[in-house]
């Protein structure tokens, strides 16, 4: 069936119809669109046209979307044939396969094939489909680089897999992942390279993409997201590997290019038809030439091109209506599409618009235990989008609601639970739904607590959520039943239930508090922001400006050296390593250890101020020099100049160690008792670069006169004749708070160890954006002392953890940027300025 | 027509969750305005004048979540789709920043030329 064919119809068409000559319909493209269009035409009028179909592939029409199961070894080619030879014969269709049409003569109304064959037409149908997009990298033409478009490609992949070895799939979209799955099942060691940070980013949001990535990795595939291919490497003319732009090299015996498709428009373009991205057609699938129609992936309809199969069926119906002048010809009005991934064992569905925003409301349900993620998007009372991962049973129902565009306000509250629940009728009020549950219905799956138990516990005096969690453990684990427990509190207590939780939740995206989130991250071993959001049932797809930075910090603190900082979850100052000012420029503060400086540093700062026209330099309260008015584009150059004079980032912008302020101490001062300056410099060298829940300021005063103002710092040292008084929890901000005495030590070494231990305790226990002052007021000074001093090993253990974390943190971020890292954060995309001539034109 | 749209380069120039800026100048070099082009984590692109309606903060430097950006100066939330401030406060209600019509075609980003050159269309809802 793979040999070129030239099927002559068994039944002689005769070219006659009731004495009239039949119109000649020539179809270019023997694929799913072309043949379906012919089927639709035949169904309406079986004798109107004498039909000839040209196909470039040397075989009959098969179901291209089923190539994935063929590659995976789940189907054979003959099982995916749609139109066998008999269909062409029975319908008197001439099939010219293995012979591509290369030219159209619109004036003569003929087409010419590669073989030289010329076929006249009355009406021409273009169904040329699409071509795989080949990324223009060196090595793209090496043997062993294949696309995933037709049966020949599948044969090449199967042949490669038989030899075993490694496969690289470039493209983590629908097609790429299906290719990777097939090759993996055939025993190859598969790596998927995807440019975007989220797999299938057109169909999935970040949360579902993360679940998919985790599942594929669990199946042994290597998934590299945010990976940009630089070159395909070869040896002896055959592919040998792929090199990424970041320098990584992945060995490969076969490379599958599956980055996308482009409408195949070359033939139409050379014939002079209107072509933009695709062949432009009207609602009746007619091109700019009334005798030529087009259908399928090659067309552009109302600005849209489609790469999925469902729109094609709609197009073919509209085309057949028009081609047979059916009375009911309403035309094609565009399609809403849905996607399912054909990878066995992974249930994934996506439809419509789930980009959220602007009046659109997200309803998210997550079930970590079952690996479920469901998100539906409602706008103006209508369902406009859905993403389902793990359970796609309701995909069809959502898609139906979406296409019909009916008002779903009446079932909105129950929508996320699916058809069975939403159609129940009585569940419109969530409290009513809970009231309707039987006493033995399970409320908390984690701890196996029934409704009856929760109600008994509330009647027994547990009048708040925390009391219920403390008594019968309902909602105390994963928290996904928090809403149900709150409903039971409201139902059982009536007006007596305040509804208020004692402690505020981290943000509106979650029902957990900061403390609960921190505890879960550690206990469950969570390692990434999307994973925290999934496991803790976040109600938004990708969080908000409050929770993202908090989660980023909590993970960074919990996993030193392992967690990869998420730049998109950092406030601007921490992303830009400078302080944004009201006019959008930045201020730059180089580090001056303990407030000490020298002529070289001062000259470098002076030179920077002049070179970059900084309008102001100011001495800060923390004994540093602050250079104002630097544009974001100039920051790397400013840093390069400061680095050259030996200065590093002062972290004046971070939730981190800011400054160690010192007085001159015993070296100069007639009252000084210890070397406060020297100790301050040592402490700053120990603590700089550490990320904290909030900014952290230290000071060292050489005597109780306290010129360094150590008693309003987060950590203060007051030197006395007999040693060092260590003070904590001071704050000179909105709410003035003097420090508490933590302890007194005899040596510098002890002072530094307690300092490290105290910082680590604060890093591990405080909530994000909680300074030491409110933290100590919340937990109590005694609790802090107890955590540090009850166990004689505690200080050493905490200090050890701090130093371990610091071993990854003390890396000047300015130097990396000055050397060119993250240049896109500093550079404009481009600049728009009209030519002077155009300007003069408009001036007239 | 393609002439109405200004090609500002391939989509890969802006990483998801980020924004980049495009200053627009007159022939004599004076700034007309700066445009911020955003790439959201679910892979949509939006363009707005890079100026918060509150105190003119550079929106391009804010944290992007969903199709909202939080201004770096005072944490106003601005819809990337309409340019409207999303808060309920008296100041926020009705405040908006002009949006620049944007389209993505064959992997490249295009902005509506007339809006880029300063005839910015007001927010979709501000009528």
């Amino acid at each position: 069936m793979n040999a070129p064919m030239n099927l002559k119809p068994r039944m002689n068409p005769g070219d006659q119809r009731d004495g009239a000559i039949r119109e000649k319909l020539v179809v270019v493209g023997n694929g799913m669109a072309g043949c379906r269009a012919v089927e639709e035409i035949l169904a309406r009028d079986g004798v109107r046209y004498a039909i000839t179909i040209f196909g470039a592939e040397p075989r009959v029409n098969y179901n291209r979307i089923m190539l994935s199961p063929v590659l995976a070894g789940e189907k054979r080619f003959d099982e995916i044939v749609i139109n066998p030879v008999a269909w062409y014969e029975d319908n008197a269709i001439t099939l010219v396969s293995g012979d591509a049409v290369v030219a159209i003569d619109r004036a003569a109304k003929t087409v010419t094939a590669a073989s030289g064959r010329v076929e006249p037409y009355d009406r021409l149908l273009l169904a040329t489909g699409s071509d795989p997009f080949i990324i223009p990298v060196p090595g793209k033409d090496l043997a062993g680089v294949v696309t995933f478009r037709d049966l020949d490609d599948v044969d090449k992949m199967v042949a490669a897999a038989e030899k075993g070895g490694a496969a690289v799939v470039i493209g983590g979209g629908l097609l790429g992942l299906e290719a990777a799955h097939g090759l993996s099942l055939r025993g190859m060691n598969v790596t998927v390279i995807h440019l975007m940070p989220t797999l299938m980013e057109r169909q999935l949001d970040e949360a579902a993409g993360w679940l998919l990535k985790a599942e594929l990795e669990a199946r042994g595939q290597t998934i590299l997201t945010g990976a940009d291919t630089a070159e395909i490497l070869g040896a002896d003319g055959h592919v040998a590997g792929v090199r990424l732009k970041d320098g990584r090299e992945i060995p490969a015996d076969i490379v599958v290019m599956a980055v996308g498709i482009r409408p195949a428009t070359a033939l139409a373009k050379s014939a002079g038809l209107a072509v933009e991205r695709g062949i432009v057609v009207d609602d009746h699938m007619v091109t700019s030439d009334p005798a030529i129609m087009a259908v399928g992936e090659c067309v552009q309809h109302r600005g849209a091109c489609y790469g999925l199969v469902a729109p094609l069926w709609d197009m073919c119906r509209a085309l057949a209506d028009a081609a047979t002048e059916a009375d009911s010809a309403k035309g094609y009005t565009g399609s809403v599409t849905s996607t399912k991934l054909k990878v066995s064992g992974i249930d994934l569905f996506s439809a419509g618009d789930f980009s959220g925003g602007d009046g659109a409301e997200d309803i998210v349900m997550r079930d970590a235990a079952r690996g479920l993620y469901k998100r539906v998007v409602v706008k103006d009372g209508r369902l406009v989008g859905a993403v389902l991962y793990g359970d796609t049973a309701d995909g069809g129902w959502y898609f139906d609601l979406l296409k019909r565009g009916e008002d779903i306000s009446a079932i909105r509250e129950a929508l996320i639970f699916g058809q069975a629940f939403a159609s129940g009728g009585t569940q419109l009020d969530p409290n009513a739904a809970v009231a309707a549950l039987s006493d033995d219905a399970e409320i908390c799956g984690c701890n196996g607590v029934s409704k009856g138990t929760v109600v008994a516990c509330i009647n027994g005096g547990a009048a708040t959520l925390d009391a219920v969690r403390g008594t019968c453990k309902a909602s105390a684990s994963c928290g996904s039943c928090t809403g149900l427990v709150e409903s039971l509190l409201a139902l059982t207590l009536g007006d007596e239930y305040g509804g208020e939780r004692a402690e505020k939740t981290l943000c509106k995206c979650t029902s957990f508090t900061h403390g609960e989130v921190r505890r879960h991250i550690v206990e469950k071993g969570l390692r990434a922001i999307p994973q925290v959001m999934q496991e803790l049932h976040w109600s938004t797809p990708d969080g908000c400006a409050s929770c993202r930075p908090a989660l980023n910090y909590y993970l960074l603190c919990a996993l030193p050296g392992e967690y990869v900082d998420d730049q998109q979850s950092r406030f601007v100052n921490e992303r830009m390593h400078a302080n944004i000012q009201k006019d959008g420029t930045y201020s730059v503060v180089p580090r001056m250890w303990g407030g000490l400086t020298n002529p070289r540093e001062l000259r470098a700062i002076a030179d920077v101020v002049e070179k970059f026209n900084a309008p102001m330099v100011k001495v800060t309260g923390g004994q540093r020099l602050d250079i104002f008015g630097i544009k974001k584009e100039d920051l790397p150059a400013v840093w390069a100049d400061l680095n050259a004079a030996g200065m590093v980032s002062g972290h004046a912008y971070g939730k981190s160690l800011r400054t160690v302020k010192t007085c001159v101490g015993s070296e100069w001062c007639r009252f000084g008792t210890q070397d406060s300056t020297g100790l301050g410099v040592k402490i700053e060298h120990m603590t700089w670069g550490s990320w904290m829940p909030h900014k952290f300021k230290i000071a060292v005063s050489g005597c109780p006169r306290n010129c360094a103002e150590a008693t309003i710092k987060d950590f203060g040292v007051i030197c006395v004749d007999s040693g060092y008084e260590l003070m904590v929890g001071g704050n000179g901000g909105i709410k003035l708070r003097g420090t508490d005495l933590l302890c007194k030590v005899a040596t510098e070494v002890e002072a530094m160890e307690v300092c490290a231990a105290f910082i680590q305790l604060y890093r591990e226990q405080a909530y994000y954006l909680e300074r030491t002052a409110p933290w100590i007021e919340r937990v109590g000074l005694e609790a802090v002392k107890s955590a540090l001093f009850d166990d004689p090993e505690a200080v050493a253990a905490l200090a050890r953890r701090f130093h371990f974390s610091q071993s990854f943190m003390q890396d000047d971020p300015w130097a990396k940027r000055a050397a060119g890292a993250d240049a896109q954060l500093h550079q404009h995309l481009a600049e728009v300025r009209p030519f002077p001539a155009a300007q003069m034109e408009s001036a007239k | 027509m393609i002439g109405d749209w200004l090609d500002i380069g391939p989509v890969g120039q802006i990483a998801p969750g980020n924004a980049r800026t495009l200053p627009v100048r007159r022939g004599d070099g004076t700034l007309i305005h700066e445009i911020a082009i955003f790439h959201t984590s679910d892979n949509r692109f939006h363009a707005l004048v890079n100026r918060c309606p509150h105190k003119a903060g550079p929106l391009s430097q804010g944290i992007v979540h969903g199709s909202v950006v939080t201004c770096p100066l005072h944490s106003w939330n601005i819809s990337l789709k309409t340019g409207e401030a999303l808060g309920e406060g008296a100041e926020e209600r009705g405040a908006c920043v002009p949006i620049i019509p944007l389209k993505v075609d064959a992997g490249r980003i295009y902005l509506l030329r007339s809006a880029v050159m300063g005839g910015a269309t007001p927010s979709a809802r501000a009528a």
Side-chain angles (χ1 to χ4, degrees):
Chain A
M1 200 152 290
N2 280 346
M5 286 178 291
N6 193 350
L7 285 178
K8 279 289 176 198
R10 188 190 304 148
M11 179 185 85
N12 189 344
D15 291 343
Q16 294 282 310
R17 177 198 180 190
D18 301 336
I21 293 176
R22 285 203 199 187
E23 291 174 71
K24 275 183 166 298
L25 172 66
V26 171
V27 181
V28 182
N30 184 36
M32 297 176 73
C35 290
R36 180 60 168 245
V38 168
E39 282 182 342
E40 292 282 351
I41 290 170
L42 291 174
R44 283 163 180 72
D45 187 342
V47 291
R48 174 167 178 160
Y49 291 106
I51 302 172
T52 301
I53 301 178
F54 282 86
E57 280 186 72
R59 50 185 75 92
V60 294
N61 174 37
Y62 61 90
N63 189 339
R64 200 179 294 280
I65 62 174
M66 296 306 278
L67 283 174
S68 295
V70 172
L71 175 64
E74 291 159 356
K75 289 221 184 291
R76 294 188 317 276
F77 178 71
D78 57 5
E79 292 177 283
I80 69 166
V81 167
I82 301 176
N83 301 101
V85 174
W87 174 79
Y88 298 89
E89 292 173 349
D90 292 349
N91 290 294
I93 296 165
T94 306
L95 171 64
V96 186
S97 69
D99 194 6
V101 170
V102 293
I104 302 168
D105 184 338
R106 287 165 55 196
K109 285 196 166 182
T110 60
V111 298
T112 307
S115 63
R117 177 185 180 129
V118 175
E119 193 74 33
Y121 68 84
D122 296 304
R123 303 201 85 166
L124 179 64
L125 171 58
L126 299 178
T128 45
S130 58
D131 296 322
F133 179 63
I134 310 284
I135 51 171
V137 291
K140 67 184 168 60
D141 299 319
L142 286 166
V145 179
V146 302
T147 57
F148 186 18
R149 181 65 193 163
D150 58 31
L151 190 66
D152 295 334
D153 296 328
V154 172
D155 288 343
K156 283 181 210 160
M157 282 190 258
V158 171
E162 275 165 8
K163 291 187 214 132
V168 168
V169 177
I170 302 176
L174 203 56
L175 210 55
L177 294 181
E178 292 182 5
H181 173 66
L183 290 168
S184 180
L185 279 186
R186 287 184 182 268
M188 294 198 87
N189 191 356
V190 177
T191 302
V192 176
I193 295 174
H194 192 51
L195 183 60
M196 294 293 166
T198 303
L199 290 175
M200 290 180 66
E201 77 285 345
R202 283 173 190 225
Q203 291 90 15
L204 299 184
D205 56 13
E206 192 185 10
W210 179 83
L211 284 169
L212 176 61
K213 180 167 180 270
E215 170 66 27
L216 293 174
E217 284 170 340
R219 292 175 174 214
Q221 295 182 26
T222 304
I223 311 285
L224 304 178
T225 50
D228 199 356
T229 305
E231 183 182 1
I232 298 173
L233 305 168
D236 305 328
H238 193 277
V239 64
V242 171
R243 189 167 55 76
L244 301 180
K245 286 200 177 148
D246 63 13
R248 278 182 290 179
E249 289 187 7
I250 303 125
D253 300 294
I254 183 170
V255 170
V256 181
M257 193 84 83
V259 291
I261 54 170
R262 284 189 164 172
T265 58
L267 181 67
K269 202 178 267 179
S270 65
L273 296 175
V275 172
E276 288 174 11
R277 252 187 317 159
I279 304 168
V280 178
V281 294
D282 66 12
D283 286 356
H284 302 289
M285 313 314 293
V286 176
T287 68
S288 56
D289 179 338
I292 304 180
M293 305 171 289
V295 72
E297 290 179 348
C298 62
V299 309
Q300 176 180 327
H301 172 261
R302 297 190 185 182
C305 295
Y306 296 95
L308 295 166
V309 74
L312 196 150
W313 307 146
D314 297 335
M315 288 183 197
C316 287
R317 276 191 287 275
L319 176 135
D321 283 344
T324 58
E325 284 136 38
D327 296 336
S328 60
K330 289 193 292 284
Y332 175 64
T333 55
S335 296
V336 183
T337 56
S338 69
T339 305
K340 267 191 149 174
L341 182 69
K342 289 180 295 302
V343 170
S344 44
I346 295 182
D347 291 319
L348 193 162
F349 173 88
S350 141
D353 177 7
F354 49 88
S355 58
D358 184 24
E361 216 181 330
D362 282 316
I363 308 171
V364 173
M365 187 179 88
R366 303 178 190 245
D367 184 335
R370 290 164 62 212
L372 295 189
Y373 172 76
K374 296 174 84 176
R375 175 181 176 198
V376 297
V377 186
V378 175
K379 188 172 175 180
D380 302 330
R382 282 163 180 81
L383 182 70
V384 296
V387 181
L388 309 177
Y389 186 94
D391 177 5
T392 54
D394 283 310
W397 181 63
Y398 288 128
F399 191 47
D400 190 47
L401 286 176
L402 199 148
K403 282 194 293 187
R404 283 190 285 133
E406 284 174 13
D407 192 328
I408 50 87
S409 306
I411 56 168
R412 189 197 169 289
E413 296 302 325
L415 190 64
I416 194 71
F417 300 110
Q419 182 171 22
F421 195 77
S423 308
T426 57
Q427 282 85 357
L428 304 186
D429 170 9
N431 281 355
V434 175
L437 294 173
S438 64
D439 270 357
D440 53 8
E442 188 174 83
I443 296 294
C444 174
C446 297
N447 295 308
V449 187
S450 69
K451 177 185 165 188
T453 310
V454 177
V455 171
C457 158
I458 296 168
N459 286 330
T464 65
L465 184 64
D466 285 337
V468 171
R469 286 178 173 175
T471 317
C472 68
K473 297 271 175 291
S475 83
S477 293
C478 86
S480 61
C481 61
T482 302
L484 293 174
V485 173
E486 284 178 331
S487 285
L488 285 173
L489 280 161
L491 287 166
T492 311
L493 298 174
D495 293 341
E496 289 171 41
Y497 176 53
E500 294 283 314
R501 301 193 57 192
E503 201 176 328
K504 281 202 324 198
T505 60
L506 193 155
C507 69
K508 62 180 170 33
C509 304
T510 178
S511 59
F512 287 113
T513 64
H514 278 273
E516 290 164 337
V517 170
R518 289 210 85 164
R519 201 186 72 235
H520 283 303
I521 285 173
V522 174
E523 285 176 2
K524 292 175 192 270
L526 306 180
R527 313 183 64 81
I529 291 176
Q531 188 186 18
V532 175
M533 291 179 176
Q534 173 67 16
E535 292 293 321
L536 302 186
H537 304 88
W538 241 242
S539 64
T540 49
D542 60 355
C544 69
S546 295
C547 59
R548 290 190 72 100
L551 295 181
N552 192 52
Y553 169 71
Y554 291 153
L555 289 162
L556 196 68
C557 180
L559 300 163
E562 293 177 52
Y563 178 67
V564 181
D565 206 314
D566 181 26
Q567 290 290 306
Q568 276 70 55
S569 295
R570 287 207 174 261
F571 289 124
V572 57
N573 289 355
E574 296 185 350
R575 211 181 320 128
M576 301 304 284
H577 298 290
N579 292 54
I580 196 165
Q581 302 298 328
K582 61 185 281 188
D583 64 351
T585 65
Y586 291 83
S587 82
V588 170
V589 181
R591 192 164 290 286
M592 289 178 176
W593 309 97
L596 299 182
T597 184
N598 57 44
R600 185 178 176 219
E601 291 181 353
L602 291 171
R603 276 195 197 97
I605 290 171
D607 287 345
V608 160
V609 169
E610 287 187 345
K611 182 170 164 186
F612 296 93
N613 294 316
M616 184 169 89
V617 195
K618 189 185 176 306
V619 178
T620 71
Q623 301 180 334
R624 304 297 142 100
L625 286 171
D626 196 348
I627 308 164
F628 282 84
I630 303 294
K631 296 192 194 76
K632 74 173 181 195
E633 307 89 277
D634 290 335
L635 286 170
V638 166
W639 295 332
D641 288 358
L642 295 172
N643 278 163
M647 283 180 281
V648 298
S649 164
H651 291 78
Y653 48 80
K655 311 301 176 205
S656 60
L657 184 273
R658 291 283 177 90
T659 55
V660 180
K661 185 174 182 177
T662 63
C663 68
V664 291
S666 57
E667 205 180 336
W668 295 89
C669 177
R670 61 199 163 106
F671 300 112
T673 61
Q674 309 281 358
D675 178 13
S676 53
T677 323
L679 177 58
V681 170
K682 283 179 207 159
I683 291 178
E684 187 155 353
H685 275 289
M686 175 179 80
T687 54
W688 80 282
S690 60
W691 295 109
M692 312 244 199
H694 208 309
K695 60 185 169 188
F696 195 96
K697 299 178 179 179
I698 298 178
V700 185
S701 282
C703 80
R705 288 171 189 77
N706 191 16
C707 294
E709 298 165 335
T711 49
I712 51 164
K713 299 300 182 213
D714 294 282
F715 186 86
V717 180
I718 307 281
C719 301
V720 291
D721 285 327
S722 57
Y724 306 83
E725 288 175 354
L726 306 183
M727 318 292 293
V728 295
N731 194 323
I734 297 173
K735 198 173 166 218
L736 184 67
R737 184 181 195 273
T739 47
D740 297 309
L741 177 65
L742 184 68
C743 65
K744 190 177 161 189
V745 295
T747 65
E748 273 195 4
V749 172
E750 291 171 282
M752 289 182 66
E753 185 162 48
V754 172
C755 175
F758 174 78
I759 290 176
Q760 186 63 13
L761 189 69
Y762 169 63
R763 295 183 76 233
E764 291 177 6
Q765 294 199 347
Y767 300 161
Y768 191 65
L769 297 187
E770 187 176 45
R771 290 288 297 270
T772 55
W775 169 57
I776 287 176
E777 302 220 323
R778 177 167 62 79
V779 301
L781 180 65
E782 288 314 307
V784 173
K785 282 185 174 174
S786 159
L788 287 167
F789 306 126
D790 281 2
D791 174 355
E793 299 300 314
V795 165
L798 280 161
R800 219 169 20 246
R801 291 208 290 280
F802 180 68
H803 295 312
F804 178 68
S805 168
Q806 283 296 84
S807 68
F808 304 103
M809 304 259 182
Q810 294 194 321
D811 195 6
D812 179 25
W814 287 0
K816 286 184 227 155
R817 294 280 174 93
D822 298 320
Q824 76 286 348
L825 292 180
H826 297 280
Q827 290 161 359
H828 291 304
L829 195 57
E831 188 175 279
V832 178
R833 190 194 292 208
F835 293 118
Q839 190 68 14
M840 286 168 66
E841 199 72 15
S842 67
K844 286 181 208 165
Chain B
M1 292 303 291
I2 204 75
D4 296 338
W5 293 90
L6 184 68
D7 182 346
I8 58 164
V11 294
Q13 296 179 107
I14 311 172
N18 275 312
R20 294 191 64 187
T21 46
L22 183 77
V24 181
R25 298 184 189 281
R26 293 187 188 86
D28 62 4
T30 55
L31 192 71
I32 298 173
H33 57 193
E34 187 168 276
I35 295 170
I37 300 109
F38 292 86
H39 186 177
T40 64
S41 68
D42 47 11
N43 209 29
R44 311 281 161 147
F45 290 84
H46 304 279
L48 316 174
V49 170
N50 191 21
R51 194 182 153 86
C52 182
H54 179 217
K55 301 255 167 120
L59 296 172
S60 61
Q61 306 296 80
I63 291 180
V64 179
H65 46 101
S67 55
V68 176
V69 63
T70 302
C71 177
L73 291 194
H74 307 95
S75 297
W76 273 33
N77 284 315
I78 307 295
S79 162
L80 295 176
K81 291 186 163 180
T82 64
E84 287 173 299
L86 297 173
E88 290 301 315
E91 273 189 292
E92 281 142 295
R93 222 167 293 148
C96 71
V97 59
I99 55 171
I100 312 292
L102 175 152
K103 68 174 187 179
V104 173
D105 191 353
R108 297 187 75 84
I109 304 169
Y110 296 85
L111 299 181
L112 189 65
R113 190 182 293 272
S114 57
V116 169
M117 298 316 296
T121 47
S123 147
R125 284 199 182 165

